[in-house]
Amino acid sequence: MRIGIDVGRATSTAVLVDAAGRVLAEAVVDSAPRTGLCVRRALAALGPLPGPVGAVAVVTDLARRPPRPRPVAVLRIAPGSHAALAPLADWPEAARTALGGLTGVVAGGSAVTGGSLGPLDRDGVAAFAARARDAGVRVFAVCAAGAPARPGPELDAAAVLAAAVPGASLSLSYETGAAGLRERESATAVNAALGGWAEELVADCRAALRSARIAAPLCFARDDGGLVSAEYFARHPVIATAPASGCAARGALARTGLDRAVVVDAGARSVRCLVVRDGEPERSTRLLPGPFGVRLALGAPEIVETGGAEAATVPATVARLRERVPGADVLYTGGRAEAFGAPAGPGEPTGHREPATGGPDTRTDPRTTVLTGAGAAVRADARSDAARPLTGAAAPYGHRPRLTDAARYAAGADCRIEVEQVISAAGRAELDQALAAVRDHALSRCVAAGAAPGSVRIESLTHAPVAYLPAGVHRVTVRAAGAPASGGTS
């Protein structure tokens, strides 16, 4: 058995599923300020567990309780550049100030294909470490040119920093971002700044599991799908700051058997719309606003979000998104779903309605409408009937599918990682060898992210020549997944 817990702003939901993914018990409780307290309440509302739990997966957004970033010293290892391209130069002023604005550039790094750009300036790294130490900064983000192909300069710099600043916390870009230097640098700096938030969140959730006498591995949902272990999340929190809408969308599609839709997530404070195709939320290929207002390129789902005052724009947003997936279904999620055209009731398939902001729409359509997710409107029901045991055969998705899609998806999800590298190969045999090495690296990373070694597999591998580089240079993206390593109750 596994448990999924979706911690939202207004409500928190928990779902217990069996090995086949059928819901055995579910709970809905009011959210509290601290995530750990939400988890503790949700677990208590589930009641006595009928057997050992293999894993617990938590879904929560950074925006639910925005943290204060840790001061970070950002070190770039690369040839010099114009001041307009300096580290963090394109960040919002408030974000640079929050992180302390301590940056440096030292010689070294590699070309995108892995060729050396010169030896690492170790003296420069040591001098930068001294600056940070004198400023009271012990958190470092290190980004070297060409690190995805050749991480050695970052590892060497990390050794110098660790020796100069005992107890330093280090984020290295080759573990965090994609091939582009500045995009990877921004992701690594944000990752380092979020370390305190992640450590506190992990500690809170683990304390909640201990109070419930659950010794199962703890996982967290990541933005672009799947789970990672608590240990991996604590090192790489930037990949798991806004997973809620994506998890709810995946859960709704899994329940309905659809593989594409426009999802309207009408939550307590905002409305989020996203496109899902081939069972996965459509991922952005451009920079998107991330934590602290910094624009990041991490392949997260592209979500159009509006606040309560902008709710009237939702129908136009949905119409625009449907142009990208002609004929797609519209799925509604969240406590305010009915305000946007979703029918009242338990969320069973019914006639499609266009998104609305006012009265009912009597038009019908053969497409499917599904209600899912959590919202403020259900809190009274949650207080009166917090948990309900279920018969799996009778209610495979629970009695409250509109509330529990995100938690149910997380309860059955696999650990997943993605690796992107640029490789250089002179011929087919060399290319095959390089691709095999990237596959092996992805499988190892997936195990490091919490997957059971015997379950890991390659989900997808894509590669294509890089047009602006010499022949034989390919950009490779590999996704690997595996079932979370299981534990038991104490």
Side-chain angles (χ1 to χ4, degrees), residues 256 258 260-262 318 322 325-332 343 348-355 363-370:
T256 59
L258 302 174
R260 62 176 187 162
V262 173
V318 171
R322 290 185 71 194
V325 280
D329 301 87
V330 177
L331 306 185
Y332 294 90
E348 297 301 320
T350 184
H352 167 77
R353 299 185 189 185
E354 295 293 339
R363 292 173 291 178
T364 60
D365 190 289
R367 287 181 279 261
T368 304
T369 297
V370 176

Side-chain angles (χ1 to χ4, degrees), residues 101-116:
L102 181 59
T103 65
V105 180
V106 299
S110 310
V112 69
T113 56
S116 176

Side-chain angles (χ1 to χ4, degrees), residues 70 171 176 186-195 233-239:
R70 301 192 296 187
S171 287
T176 303
S186 288
T188 307
V190 170
N191 188 73
L194 291 174
F233 167 73
R235 296 195 306 272
H236 309 287
V238 73
I239 66 173

